[in-house]
Amino acid sequence: MRYEVTPWEVRGQVDYDRLVKEFGVSKITEELLERLERGAGGLHPLLRRGFFFAHRDLDAVLRDYEEGRGFFLYTGRAPGRSPMHIGHLIPFMMTRWLQERFGVNTYIMIPDEEKFLAKKVESLDDVEENVRRDILNIAALGFDEDKTFIFRDTEFIGRMYRAAVHVARHINFSTAKAVFGFHGETSIGLIFYPALQIVPTLFEHRRPLIPCAIDQDPYFRLQRDVAPKLGYYKTAELLSKFVWGLLGPGTKMSASEPETAILLNEDPEEAARKIMNAFTGGRATKEEQRRLGGNPEVCVIYHWYSLLFEPDDSSLAERARACRSGELLCGPCKRELASRVKRFLVEHQRRLKDAERRARRMMYDGKLASEMWNWEFKPRRPREE
Ligand code: TYM
Protein backbone atom coordinates (compact mmCIF):
# COMPACT_ATOMS: atom_id res chain seq x y z
CA MET A 1 0.00 0.00 0.00
CA ARG A 2 1.25 3.49 -0.82
CA TYR A 3 2.05 5.85 2.02
CA GLU A 4 3.09 9.47 2.29
CA VAL A 5 5.23 11.09 4.96
CA THR A 6 5.82 14.84 4.94
CA PRO A 7 6.14 17.23 7.89
CA TRP A 8 2.48 18.16 7.39
CA GLU A 9 0.86 14.86 6.49
CA VAL A 10 1.35 11.21 7.34
CA ARG A 11 -0.92 8.87 5.35
CA GLY A 12 -1.17 5.11 4.89
CA GLN A 13 0.77 2.23 6.46
CA VAL A 14 4.33 3.42 6.77
CA ASP A 15 7.08 1.08 5.59
CA TYR A 16 9.90 2.20 7.87
CA ASP A 17 12.63 0.21 6.13
CA ARG A 18 11.74 1.86 2.87
CA LEU A 19 11.49 5.28 4.50
CA VAL A 20 14.98 4.90 5.98
CA LYS A 21 16.30 4.32 2.45
CA GLU A 22 14.22 7.07 0.83
CA PHE A 23 15.23 9.65 3.44
CA GLY A 24 18.84 8.48 3.56
CA VAL A 25 18.94 8.12 7.37
CA SER A 26 20.54 5.20 9.24
CA LYS A 27 19.05 2.56 11.51
CA ILE A 28 20.31 2.61 15.10
CA THR A 29 22.62 -0.38 15.51
CA GLU A 30 23.15 -2.45 18.70
CA GLU A 31 26.68 -1.11 18.86
CA LEU A 32 25.49 2.49 18.81
CA LEU A 33 22.90 1.73 21.49
CA GLU A 34 25.62 0.28 23.72
CA ARG A 35 27.71 3.39 23.25
CA LEU A 36 24.72 5.59 24.07
CA GLU A 37 24.05 3.44 27.13
CA ARG A 38 27.63 3.93 28.32
CA GLY A 39 27.38 7.71 27.95
CA ALA A 40 23.89 7.99 29.46
CA GLY A 41 24.34 5.41 32.22
CA GLY A 42 21.28 3.47 31.01
CA LEU A 43 18.81 3.31 28.15
CA HIS A 44 15.31 4.71 27.99
CA PRO A 45 12.66 2.05 27.14
CA LEU A 46 11.78 3.97 23.96
CA LEU A 47 15.36 3.30 22.80
CA ARG A 48 15.67 -0.24 24.17
CA ARG A 49 12.43 -1.22 22.44
CA GLY A 50 13.32 0.35 19.09
CA PHE A 51 10.63 3.04 18.96
CA PHE A 52 13.42 5.53 18.34
CA PHE A 53 14.88 3.48 15.53
CA ALA A 54 16.85 5.69 13.16
CA HIS A 55 19.32 8.56 13.29
CA ARG A 56 21.74 10.86 11.56
CA ASP A 57 25.17 11.35 13.11
CA LEU A 58 24.29 10.01 16.56
CA ASP A 59 27.78 8.51 16.55
CA ALA A 60 29.25 12.01 16.00
CA VAL A 61 27.22 13.35 18.95
CA LEU A 62 28.57 10.62 21.21
CA ARG A 63 32.10 11.29 19.99
CA ASP A 64 31.68 15.01 20.71
CA TYR A 65 30.40 14.13 24.17
CA GLU A 66 33.18 11.62 24.88
CA GLU A 67 35.84 14.10 23.72
CA GLY A 68 34.44 16.96 25.82
CA ARG A 69 33.03 19.21 23.07
CA GLY A 70 29.47 18.51 24.25
CA PHE A 71 26.29 18.97 22.22
CA PHE A 72 22.84 20.51 22.64
CA LEU A 73 19.25 19.36 22.18
CA TYR A 74 16.57 20.93 20.03
CA THR A 75 12.97 19.91 19.37
CA GLY A 76 9.58 21.56 18.82
CA ARG A 77 5.83 21.50 18.55
CA ALA A 78 3.58 23.43 16.17
CA PRO A 79 0.27 24.20 17.93
CA GLY A 80 -2.80 23.54 15.82
CA ARG A 81 -6.57 23.35 16.04
CA SER A 82 -6.60 20.57 18.63
CA PRO A 83 -4.83 20.13 21.96
CA MET A 84 -1.90 17.73 22.29
CA HIS A 85 -2.47 13.99 22.64
CA ILE A 86 -0.42 11.57 24.64
CA GLY A 87 1.65 10.54 21.59
CA HIS A 88 2.83 14.12 21.13
CA LEU A 89 4.61 13.91 24.48
CA ILE A 90 6.95 11.16 23.34
CA PRO A 91 9.66 13.27 21.62
CA PHE A 92 9.61 15.62 24.59
CA MET A 93 9.98 12.75 27.06
CA MET A 94 12.94 11.49 25.07
CA THR A 95 14.44 14.98 24.99
CA ARG A 96 13.96 15.44 28.72
CA TRP A 97 15.61 12.11 29.45
CA LEU A 98 18.62 13.01 27.27
CA GLN A 99 18.88 16.39 28.98
CA GLU A 100 18.86 14.77 32.40
CA ARG A 101 21.44 12.13 31.44
CA PHE A 102 23.84 14.43 29.61
CA GLY A 103 23.13 17.73 31.42
CA VAL A 104 22.92 19.70 28.18
CA ASN A 105 21.05 22.82 27.04
CA THR A 106 17.70 22.23 25.36
CA TYR A 107 15.81 24.48 22.95
CA ILE A 108 12.10 24.00 22.31
CA MET A 109 10.54 25.85 19.40
CA ILE A 110 6.84 26.64 19.30
CA PRO A 111 6.21 27.68 15.69
CA ASP A 112 2.84 29.33 16.27
CA GLU A 113 2.62 30.28 12.58
CA GLU A 114 3.38 26.90 10.95
CA LYS A 115 -0.08 25.27 11.00
CA PHE A 116 -1.62 28.57 9.85
CA LEU A 117 0.76 28.79 6.89
CA ALA A 118 0.18 25.10 6.12
CA LYS A 119 -3.55 25.96 6.04
CA LYS A 120 -4.32 23.49 8.81
CA VAL A 121 -6.11 26.22 10.79
CA GLU A 122 -8.24 29.14 9.64
CA SER A 123 -6.97 31.90 11.90
CA LEU A 124 -4.06 32.64 14.18
CA ASP A 125 -6.58 33.24 16.96
CA ASP A 126 -7.69 29.60 16.66
CA VAL A 127 -4.14 28.58 17.49
CA GLU A 128 -3.70 30.93 20.43
CA GLU A 129 -5.37 28.87 23.15
CA ASN A 130 -3.38 25.79 22.15
CA VAL A 131 -0.09 27.71 22.15
CA ARG A 132 -0.57 28.32 25.85
CA ARG A 133 -1.80 24.79 26.56
CA ASP A 134 0.96 23.09 24.55
CA ILE A 135 3.67 25.10 26.29
CA LEU A 136 2.25 24.13 29.68
CA ASN A 137 2.04 20.45 28.72
CA ILE A 138 5.69 20.54 27.70
CA ALA A 139 6.81 22.57 30.72
CA ALA A 140 5.03 20.08 33.02
CA LEU A 141 7.47 17.33 31.96
CA GLY A 142 10.13 18.81 34.21
CA PHE A 143 12.93 20.10 31.98
CA ASP A 144 15.83 21.82 33.75
CA GLU A 145 14.57 25.38 34.09
CA ASP A 146 18.01 26.95 33.77
CA LYS A 147 19.10 24.86 30.81
CA THR A 148 15.94 25.00 28.72
CA PHE A 149 14.64 27.73 26.44
CA ILE A 150 11.06 27.56 25.14
CA PHE A 151 10.16 30.21 22.57
CA ARG A 152 7.32 30.97 20.20
CA ASP A 153 8.18 32.24 16.74
CA THR A 154 5.91 35.30 16.67
CA GLU A 155 7.55 36.52 19.87
CA PHE A 156 11.21 35.53 19.36
CA ILE A 157 11.32 36.37 15.64
CA GLY A 158 13.31 39.58 16.23
CA ARG A 159 16.27 37.53 17.49
CA MET A 160 15.93 34.80 14.85
CA TYR A 161 15.28 36.80 11.72
CA ARG A 162 18.89 37.65 10.92
CA ALA A 163 19.91 33.99 11.08
CA ALA A 164 16.82 32.97 9.05
CA VAL A 165 17.83 35.37 6.29
CA HIS A 166 21.28 33.78 6.11
CA VAL A 167 19.79 30.29 6.02
CA ALA A 168 17.16 31.24 3.42
CA ARG A 169 19.74 32.67 1.05
CA HIS A 170 21.38 29.25 0.80
CA ILE A 171 18.18 27.35 -0.08
CA ASN A 172 16.84 27.74 -3.57
CA PHE A 173 13.27 27.06 -4.58
CA SER A 174 13.97 23.94 -6.64
CA THR A 175 15.66 22.28 -3.66
CA ALA A 176 12.84 23.26 -1.28
CA LYS A 177 10.28 22.01 -3.80
CA ALA A 178 12.05 18.69 -4.20
CA VAL A 179 12.41 18.20 -0.43
CA PHE A 180 8.94 19.32 0.69
CA GLY A 181 6.79 18.86 -2.41
CA PHE A 182 5.78 22.55 -2.52
CA HIS A 183 3.48 23.42 -5.43
CA GLY A 184 1.75 26.37 -7.03
CA GLU A 185 -0.88 26.64 -4.29
CA THR A 186 1.61 26.57 -1.40
CA SER A 187 1.67 29.83 0.55
CA ILE A 188 4.96 31.70 0.24
CA GLY A 189 5.06 31.81 4.04
CA LEU A 190 5.35 28.03 4.21
CA ILE A 191 8.10 28.15 1.62
CA PHE A 192 10.12 30.48 3.87
CA TYR A 193 9.24 28.66 7.09
CA PRO A 194 11.91 25.90 6.80
CA ALA A 195 14.57 28.61 7.16
CA LEU A 196 13.11 29.44 10.57
CA GLN A 197 12.86 25.85 11.76
CA ILE A 198 16.57 25.53 10.96
CA VAL A 199 17.63 28.60 12.98
CA PRO A 200 17.71 26.96 16.45
CA THR A 201 20.33 24.50 15.16
CA LEU A 202 22.61 27.57 15.02
CA PHE A 203 21.96 28.72 18.61
CA GLU A 204 25.27 27.24 19.80
CA HIS A 205 28.54 26.49 18.17
CA ARG A 206 28.25 22.78 18.97
CA ARG A 207 26.49 19.83 17.38
CA PRO A 208 22.69 19.88 17.79
CA LEU A 209 20.81 16.64 18.42
CA ILE A 210 17.14 16.63 17.48
CA PRO A 211 14.79 13.98 18.90
CA CYS A 212 11.58 13.86 16.82
CA ALA A 213 9.50 11.55 14.66
CA ILE A 214 10.88 10.80 11.20
CA ASP A 215 8.38 13.18 9.50
CA GLN A 216 10.56 16.15 10.50
CA ASP A 217 13.69 14.86 8.77
CA PRO A 218 13.23 16.90 5.54
CA TYR A 219 13.89 20.15 7.40
CA PHE A 220 17.09 18.86 8.83
CA ARG A 221 18.28 17.31 5.60
CA LEU A 222 18.33 20.89 4.29
CA GLN A 223 20.01 22.10 7.48
CA ARG A 224 22.88 19.70 6.84
CA ASP A 225 23.57 21.35 3.47
CA VAL A 226 23.37 24.87 4.81
CA ALA A 227 24.97 24.82 8.29
CA PRO A 228 28.57 24.13 7.17
CA LYS A 229 28.32 27.04 4.72
CA LEU A 230 27.56 29.31 7.68
CA GLY A 231 30.38 27.76 9.71
CA TYR A 232 28.06 25.76 12.02
CA TYR A 233 27.57 22.05 12.74
CA LYS A 234 25.40 19.74 10.71
CA THR A 235 22.58 18.62 12.95
CA ALA A 236 22.23 15.09 14.28
CA GLU A 237 18.81 13.45 14.64
CA LEU A 238 17.27 10.76 16.80
CA LEU A 239 14.18 9.61 14.92
CA SER A 240 11.10 7.74 16.09
CA LYS A 241 8.30 5.88 14.40
CA PHE A 242 4.71 7.14 14.70
CA VAL A 243 2.50 6.12 17.60
CA TRP A 244 -0.59 4.07 16.77
CA GLY A 245 -4.06 5.46 17.23
CA LEU A 246 -6.53 3.52 19.39
CA LEU A 247 -8.44 2.08 16.44
CA GLY A 248 -5.79 -0.23 15.00
CA PRO A 249 -2.14 -1.03 14.32
CA GLY A 250 -0.47 1.49 12.04
CA THR A 251 -3.38 3.96 12.31
CA LYS A 252 -2.79 7.56 13.26
CA MET A 253 -3.49 9.00 16.68
CA SER A 254 -5.14 12.23 15.71
CA ALA A 255 -6.36 14.85 18.18
CA SER A 256 -9.01 15.97 15.70
CA GLU A 257 -10.54 12.44 15.70
CA PRO A 258 -11.24 11.95 19.41
CA GLU A 259 -11.86 8.18 19.32
CA THR A 260 -8.33 7.60 18.01
CA ALA A 261 -6.53 9.60 20.69
CA ILE A 262 -6.00 10.13 24.40
CA LEU A 263 -5.94 13.89 24.83
CA LEU A 264 -3.82 15.32 27.62
CA ASN A 265 -6.61 17.57 28.85
CA GLU A 266 -9.37 15.00 28.85
CA ASP A 267 -11.29 13.54 31.75
CA PRO A 268 -9.33 10.44 32.89
CA GLU A 269 -12.59 8.44 33.03
CA GLU A 270 -13.27 9.28 29.39
CA ALA A 271 -9.74 8.19 28.49
CA ALA A 272 -10.34 4.88 30.29
CA ARG A 273 -13.55 4.38 28.29
CA LYS A 274 -11.63 4.88 25.03
CA ILE A 275 -9.01 2.34 26.07
CA MET A 276 -11.76 -0.21 26.78
CA ASN A 277 -13.00 0.33 23.20
CA ALA A 278 -9.57 0.17 21.56
CA PHE A 279 -8.51 -2.39 18.97
CA THR A 280 -6.68 -5.43 20.41
CA GLY A 281 -4.83 -8.42 19.07
CA GLY A 282 -7.44 -10.70 20.68
CA ARG A 283 -9.66 -13.33 19.11
CA ALA A 284 -13.37 -13.11 18.35
CA THR A 285 -14.43 -15.03 21.47
CA LYS A 286 -12.95 -15.78 24.89
CA GLU A 287 -13.02 -19.48 24.11
CA GLU A 288 -10.96 -19.00 20.93
CA GLN A 289 -8.55 -16.74 22.71
CA ARG A 290 -7.93 -19.32 25.47
CA ARG A 291 -7.35 -21.98 22.81
CA LEU A 292 -5.31 -20.02 20.24
CA GLY A 293 -3.88 -17.09 22.19
CA GLY A 294 -3.76 -13.41 21.17
CA ASN A 295 -1.29 -11.47 19.07
CA PRO A 296 0.56 -8.62 20.83
CA GLU A 297 2.30 -7.63 17.56
CA VAL A 298 -0.88 -6.05 16.21
CA CYS A 299 -2.43 -5.00 19.51
CA VAL A 300 -2.89 -1.31 20.25
CA ILE A 301 -3.10 -2.04 23.98
CA TYR A 302 0.25 -3.84 23.95
CA HIS A 303 1.73 -1.03 21.82
CA TRP A 304 0.84 1.47 24.56
CA TYR A 305 2.18 -0.74 27.33
CA SER A 306 5.44 -0.96 25.43
CA LEU A 307 5.70 2.79 24.74
CA LEU A 308 4.82 4.41 28.03
CA PHE A 309 3.00 2.15 30.43
CA GLU A 310 5.29 -0.78 31.23
CA PRO A 311 8.85 0.36 31.88
CA ASP A 312 9.95 -3.04 33.19
CA ASP A 313 11.18 -5.30 30.36
CA SER A 314 10.51 -8.60 32.10
CA SER A 315 6.93 -7.61 33.00
CA LEU A 316 6.37 -6.60 29.38
CA ALA A 317 7.76 -9.90 28.11
CA GLU A 318 5.58 -11.79 30.60
CA ARG A 319 2.51 -9.90 29.36
CA ALA A 320 3.33 -10.86 25.75
CA ARG A 321 3.87 -14.49 26.75
CA ALA A 322 0.62 -14.70 28.74
CA CYS A 323 -1.27 -13.14 25.82
CA ARG A 324 0.17 -15.51 23.23
CA SER A 325 -0.51 -18.54 25.39
CA GLY A 326 -4.16 -17.58 25.90
CA GLU A 327 -3.77 -17.15 29.69
CA LEU A 328 -4.32 -13.40 29.60
CA LEU A 329 -7.60 -12.23 28.07
CA CYS A 330 -8.19 -8.76 26.60
CA GLY A 331 -10.64 -7.57 29.27
CA PRO A 332 -8.22 -7.58 32.24
CA CYS A 333 -5.32 -6.44 30.04
CA LYS A 334 -7.31 -3.40 28.87
CA ARG A 335 -8.60 -2.65 32.38
CA GLU A 336 -5.05 -2.58 33.73
CA LEU A 337 -3.88 -0.24 30.94
CA ALA A 338 -6.93 1.98 31.46
CA SER A 339 -6.08 2.34 35.13
CA ARG A 340 -2.40 3.18 34.35
CA VAL A 341 -3.46 5.75 31.74
CA LYS A 342 -5.90 7.29 34.22
CA ARG A 343 -3.16 7.57 36.83
CA PHE A 344 -0.84 9.12 34.26
CA LEU A 345 -3.43 11.75 33.26
CA VAL A 346 -4.29 12.62 36.85
CA GLU A 347 -0.60 13.06 37.64
CA HIS A 348 0.06 15.07 34.44
CA GLN A 349 -2.92 17.33 35.09
CA ARG A 350 -1.70 17.84 38.68
CA ARG A 351 1.76 18.86 37.39
CA LEU A 352 0.09 21.35 35.02
CA LYS A 353 -0.87 23.42 38.07
CA ASP A 354 2.78 24.32 38.63
CA ALA A 355 3.65 24.48 34.93
CA GLU A 356 2.81 28.16 34.51
CA ARG A 357 5.67 29.13 36.81
CA ARG A 358 8.05 26.65 35.16
CA ALA A 359 7.11 27.85 31.67
CA ARG A 360 7.82 31.46 32.64
CA ARG A 361 11.32 30.50 33.78
CA MET A 362 12.02 28.54 30.61
CA MET A 363 10.62 31.27 28.35
CA TYR A 364 11.91 34.42 30.03
CA ASP A 365 13.93 34.47 33.21
CA GLY A 366 15.70 31.15 33.74
CA LYS A 367 19.46 31.21 33.09
CA LEU A 368 19.41 30.01 29.47
CA ALA A 369 16.25 31.97 28.60
CA SER A 370 17.75 35.24 29.89
CA GLU A 371 20.87 34.65 27.78
CA MET A 372 18.86 33.83 24.68
CA TRP A 373 16.93 37.09 24.74
CA ASN A 374 20.33 38.68 23.94
CA TRP A 375 21.37 36.09 21.36
CA GLU A 376 22.83 37.42 18.13
CA PHE A 377 23.59 35.34 15.10
CA LYS A 378 26.99 35.67 13.49
CA PRO A 379 27.96 33.69 10.39
CA ARG A 380 31.40 32.05 10.65
CA ARG A 381 33.99 30.78 8.22
CA PRO A 382 32.62 27.71 6.36
CA ARG A 383 33.31 24.40 8.13
CA GLU A 384 34.64 21.20 6.60
CA GLU A 385 33.04 17.99 7.91
P1 TYM B 1 4.25 18.73 15.28
O1 TYM B 1 3.56 19.69 16.19
O2 TYM B 1 3.50 18.22 14.10
O3 TYM B 1 4.74 17.48 16.12
C1 TYM B 1 5.50 17.66 17.32
C2 TYM B 1 6.47 16.51 17.50
O4 TYM B 1 5.76 15.28 17.60
C3 TYM B 1 6.20 14.37 16.61
N1 TYM B 1 5.01 13.63 16.19
C4 TYM B 1 4.80 12.35 16.49
N2 TYM B 1 5.55 11.46 17.15
C5 TYM B 1 5.09 10.21 17.26
N3 TYM B 1 3.90 9.80 16.73
C6 TYM B 1 3.11 10.67 16.07
N4 TYM B 1 1.95 10.26 15.56
C7 TYM B 1 3.55 12.01 15.92
N5 TYM B 1 3.04 13.12 15.32
C8 TYM B 1 3.95 14.09 15.51
C9 TYM B 1 6.81 15.23 15.51
O5 TYM B 1 7.76 14.51 14.76
C10 TYM B 1 7.44 16.33 16.32
O6 TYM B 1 8.69 15.90 16.85
N6 TYM B 1 7.40 21.46 12.46
C11 TYM B 1 7.22 20.81 13.76
C12 TYM B 1 7.52 21.73 14.94
C13 TYM B 1 9.00 21.90 15.15
C14 TYM B 1 9.91 20.86 15.41
C15 TYM B 1 11.19 21.48 15.52
C16 TYM B 1 9.77 19.47 15.59
C17 TYM B 1 9.70 23.06 15.10
N7 TYM B 1 11.02 22.80 15.32
C18 TYM B 1 12.32 20.73 15.80
C19 TYM B 1 10.90 18.72 15.86
C20 TYM B 1 12.16 19.35 15.95
C21 TYM B 1 5.80 20.26 13.84
O7 TYM B 1 4.92 20.64 13.12
O8 TYM B 1 5.64 19.35 14.85
Side-chain angles (χ1 to χ4, degrees):
M1 202 207 303
R2 192 56 209 145
Y3 63 88
E4 184 181 79
V5 175
T6 74
W8 306 288
E9 208 79 70
V10 178
R11 272 202 223 116
Q13 290 276 355
V14 179
D15 177 340
Y16 288 104
D17 285 337
R18 222 165 101 186
L19 204 55
V20 161
K21 288 207 189 87
E22 276 173 28
F23 280 15
V25 298
S26 309
K27 287 246 189 110
I28 302 178
T29 59
E30 280 302 316
E31 191 195 345
L32 197 51
L33 272 187
E34 280 167 22
R35 201 164 151 202
L36 179 55
E37 184 170 12
R38 277 198 300 278
L43 271 188
H44 194 283
L46 290 164
L47 284 161
R48 279 201 313 266
R49 296 172 187 171
F51 188 68
F52 279 84
F53 76 113
H55 75 105
R56 287 185 192 267
D57 278 354
L58 184 57
D59 39 350
V61 171
L62 294 172
R63 193 181 57 229
D64 284 356
Y65 177 74
E66 288 156 5
E67 294 175 1
R69 284 183 296 279
F71 66 96
F72 67 98
L73 292 162
Y74 161 43
T75 194
R77 155 78 186 160
R81 199 164 7 104
S82 320
M84 281 166 90
H85 59 60
I86 203 163
H88 285 131
L89 283 187
I90 285 184
F92 295 96
M93 288 175 164
M94 190 74 247
T95 306
R96 198 202 85 96
W97 180 83
L98 288 163
Q99 178 182 57
E100 185 185 276
R101 295 302 171 115
F102 291 98
V104 293
N105 285 346
T106 299
Y107 299 89
I108 299 176
M109 182 180 208
I110 308 293
D112 47 359
E113 79 285 43
E114 185 183 358
K115 299 264 157 89
F116 180 64
L117 293 173
K119 302 187 183 155
K120 298 278 174 192
V121 292
E122 286 312 309
S123 82
L124 281 177
D125 289 341
D126 288 351
V127 177
E128 199 51 38
E129 179 57 12
N130 287 321
V131 171
R132 207 185 72 83
R133 274 205 282 216
D134 290 1
I135 291 175
L136 294 181
N137 278 317
I138 294 166
L141 296 182
F143 287 93
D144 182 328
E145 292 164 26
D146 285 311
K147 288 187 177 166
T148 305
F149 180 46
I150 305 180
F151 55 98
R152 50 188 294 191
D153 286 7
T154 54
E155 192 173 54
F156 197 56
I157 187 68
R159 290 276 144 201
M160 291 196 291
Y161 193 58
R162 201 179 148 87
V165 165
H166 277 275
V167 172
R169 189 181 142 109
H170 286 291
I171 303 172
N172 63 40
F173 183 54
S174 8
T175 308
K177 204 162 125 188
V179 171
F180 294 104
F182 293 145
H183 49 77
E185 301 306 308
T186 307
S187 75
I188 58 170
L190 197 64
I191 296 168
F192 179 75
Y193 171 76
L196 267 182
Q197 182 154 331
I198 288 172
V199 168
T201 64
L202 315 176
F203 279 172
E204 295 191 13
H205 196 246
R206 274 191 256 258
R207 200 178 304 276
L209 172 63
I210 302 178
C212 59
I214 193 165
D215 62 320
Q216 298 295 310
D217 174 68
Y219 289 106
F220 305 122
R221 219 180 294 155
L222 278 186
Q223 190 277 357
R224 291 167 57 84
D225 284 341
V226 174
K229 295 180 183 151
L230 297 172
Y232 283 75
Y233 284 80
K234 285 185 183 179
T235 195
E237 298 167 46
L238 182 57
L239 300 167
S240 77
K241 299 178 181 172
F242 303 108
V243 302
W244 296 354
L246 297 177
L247 299 186
T251 60
K252 204 168 169 256
M253 180 166 278
S254 166
S256 53
E257 294 165 56
E259 284 306 305
T260 69
I262 303 291
L263 303 177
L264 292 173
N265 62 342
E266 85 185 324
D267 175 1
E269 292 300 334
E270 173 61 6
R273 184 195 62 76
K274 288 186 191 175
I275 300 272
M276 295 309 291
N277 286 336
F279 180 92
T280 72
R283 304 278 171 178
T285 64
K286 278 188 190 170
E287 189 282 320
E288 251 186 61
Q289 176 129 352
R290 285 208 177 89
R291 192 157 45 83
L292 303 167
N295 182 4
E297 304 299 318
V298 297
C299 178
V300 167
I301 300 295
Y302 184 78
H303 177 71
W304 280 95
Y305 274 116
S306 80
L307 292 185
L308 292 185
F309 296 102
E310 184 48 88
D312 181 67
D313 287 348
S314 54
S315 306
L316 187 71
E318 170 53 22
R319 187 171 292 281
R321 189 207 58 77
C323 169
R324 284 199 190 94
S325 72
E327 278 165 46
L328 176 63
L329 298 183
C330 294
C333 191
K334 284 199 221 181
R335 267 196 298 281
E336 176 59 27
L337 182 69
S339 96
R340 293 186 194 187
V341 169
K342 261 199 313 200
R343 235 180 295 143
F344 174 88
L345 286 179
V346 168
E347 178 59 17
H348 183 75
Q349 290 166 8
R350 190 187 60 72
R351 282 196 304 258
L352 279 177
K353 298 205 171 83
D354 189 39
E356 197 95 47
R357 183 195 61 77
R358 286 171 182 275
R360 227 174 308 116
R361 298 256 307 142
M362 292 186 268
M363 294 179 80
Y364 306 110
D365 45 29
K367 183 166 176 297
L368 184 62
S370 320
E371 286 165 15
M372 286 309 292
W373 282 97
N374 292 314
W375 179 70
E376 269 181 44
F377 174 72
K378 290 191 195 66
R380 299 176 161 231
R381 274 223 307 281
R383 265 180 70 86
E384 302 276 325
E385 265 197 274

